[in-house]
Structures are given as structure tokens and as C-alpha cells.
Amino acid sequence: MPASTKKGAKFSLDNLSSQDYKSIAQKHEPKRSIFKNCILAFLIGGAICLLGQAIQQAFMALFDMSTKEAASPTVAVLIIISVILTSCGVYDKIAQVAGAGTAVPVTGFANSMCSAALEHKAEGYVLGVGANMFKLAGSVIVFGTVAAFFVGLVYAIFGLEGVHHQ
């Protein structure tokens, strides 16, 4: 099937090598501003963390909780907000602008699980939602578990189990 480039040069898609395809694709790929993307990720990721800090401060003030006691409900509220925004399609729009700024906090993890659940909802709750929800999140859980094991091993080997820095 003949096709043409913007300059009108003809080529055939049937005998197009992968290197030729990559060079054509690179020419048409939109340019990305790395500096701008880093700034947006920093600002939006920071805003998410600032929101989390505000929620934690509210728990501490309203319910007379310590910092440690307020940590768990704060994370739960952030996860609920993330799931609601993902379900409404808002979180993905924020993520398009923020990039890694929305992926790094716990809200990004909640977004990945909720997105997979929504995507596979039509396949049923067990084989659709249950089986596919942990595809992306599963690797994060495994990495966290393995990392925690090795950190615990280091603590046990060097006798640091009773040391708590505050």
C-alpha cells in the first residue's frame, strides 16, 4: 500500500524496515519540554503531598491525634479521593499534565488499581476486576515486600532492631 510523507515522497508500508519506521515516527513525534515536565511533576506532586499534610493536620486538630495516629486515616482519605477522581475521569487528566507527579504518591498507586478495575469491570468481578486489578499493582506489592525483607535482614544482621530515630 503506497503512502506519502509531507514532502510527497512515496514509500511502501509493506517493505518498510523497522529503522525507517522509527525515523519517520521520530519526525512526527511531538517535542517534549523536559524542564517544563519536571516543574509540573514537582508542583502537582507537591500539591498532592500538601493536601495530604493538610488532611493529617486536620485529623490531628479535630480528633486530638498524634502524628502517628493521624497517618493511617490520612492515607485512607487520599486513596478515597484518588479513587473518586479516577472513577470520574479527572485523575487521568491531571496525570497527563503532571506525569510522574501523580504516579509517585500513594494516590498514583490507588489510581493504577482503580483504573484496572474499571477497565475490566465488564468481564465480571472475579475474573475481570479481581484478576486484573493487581496486574500493575502486583509488581509494586512484590517489590515492597522484597525490599522490606532485605531491609529487615540488614537490621537483624547489624542488631538495629531496637533503634528508633525520631
Side-chain angles (χ1 to χ4, degrees):
M1 157 186 324
S4 64
T5 62
K6 286 184 180 179
K7 295 179 183 177
K10 299 279 183 187
F11 60 90
S12 173
L13 293 177
D14 296 332
N15 60 6
L16 189 65
S17 73
S18 77
Q19 288 180 339
D20 290 338
Y21 175 79
K22 285 180 185 177
S23 69
I24 292 170
Q26 277 183 336
K27 290 177 187 174
H28 297 288
E29 186 176 294
K31 302 295 180 219
R32 297 182 196 113
S33 171
I34 293 173
F35 181 74
K36 177 184 158 195
N37 289 347
C38 288
I39 296 297
L40 286 172
F42 175 78
L43 291 175
I44 296 174
I48 292 170
C49 294
L50 181 66
L51 173 66
Q53 189 64 44
I55 293 167
Q56 184 178 27
Q57 292 296 328
F59 276 119
M60 290 167 60
L62 295 173
F63 301 109
D64 197 32
M65 294 179 162
S66 68
T67 304
K68 261 187 174 177
E69 292 170 332
S72 294
T74 300
V75 171
V77 169
L78 285 172
I79 288 170
I80 290 168
I81 291 170
S82 175
V83 168
I84 291 170
L85 291 177
T86 299
S87 299
C88 296
V90 174
Y91 198 92
D92 292 334
K93 291 178 182 170
I94 296 169
Q96 285 177 343
V97 175
T102 57
V104 175
V106 70
T107 55
F109 185 70
N111 169 263
S112 71
M113 291 188 69
C114 182
S115 294
L118 290 172
E119 184 177 338
H120 298 284
K121 181 174 66 171
E123 297 170 28
Y125 289 116
V126 175
L127 296 177
V129 174
N132 292 296
M133 186 167 55
F134 291 102
K135 278 186 177 176
L136 176 63
S139 59
V140 176
I141 293 168
V142 169
F143 176 78
T145 304
V146 171
F149 170 78
F150 284 113
V151 168
L153 194 62
V154 168
Y155 270 63
I157 290 171
F158 293 108
L160 300 172
E161 62 269 348
V163 178
H164 296 286
H165 300 283
Q166 292 190 15

